[in-house]
Amino acid sequence: MSLRLSADVSTADTDYGIVLLNQRNGDFWQLNPSGALAVRRLLDGDTPEQAAAALAAEFEVGREEALEDVLALLEQLRAAGLVAP
């Protein structure tokens, strides 16, 4: 699975993670370091399972919980219209 942001969404790295800006309506999402890592990995072509493995390796979280978090984040991004179908 390859994640693509919607055409109207831009990103900006911050000291604390990453910001996703929806240029259509001005809404933005601030992702913490773990959310930023997951999104970056997914944008680079990782599967949710691979992104979860990277989270588990970087942060103190089990792979199963990390996968649940990645899948929940993906669903929230889709619901907000931030990712391409």
Side-chain angles (χ1 to χ4, degrees):
M1 171 193 173
S2 181
L3 181 73
R4 280 186 318 115
L5 296 175
S6 295
D8 295 329
V9 175
S10 61
T11 65
D13 291 326
T14 68
D15 290 339
Y16 185 66
I18 192 171
V19 172
L20 305 177
L21 172 63
N22 184 336
Q23 297 175 36
R24 286 183 315 240
N25 61 17
D27 289 346
F28 67 92
W29 282 49
Q30 170 71 46
L31 300 179
N32 64 19
S34 60
L37 175 63
V39 166
R40 286 184 185 116
R41 296 295 297 249
L42 292 167
L43 289 171
D44 286 343
D46 279 7
T47 65
E49 292 79 10
Q50 291 169 320
L55 282 176
E58 182 73 21
F59 300 97
E60 292 184 24
V61 62
R63 287 179 80 143
E64 192 170 308
E65 183 179 352
L67 180 57
E68 290 174 10
D69 291 345
V70 169
L71 294 174
L73 176 59
L74 276 171
E75 184 58 35
Q76 292 171 348
L77 295 174
R78 284 188 186 110
L82 297 174
V83 296

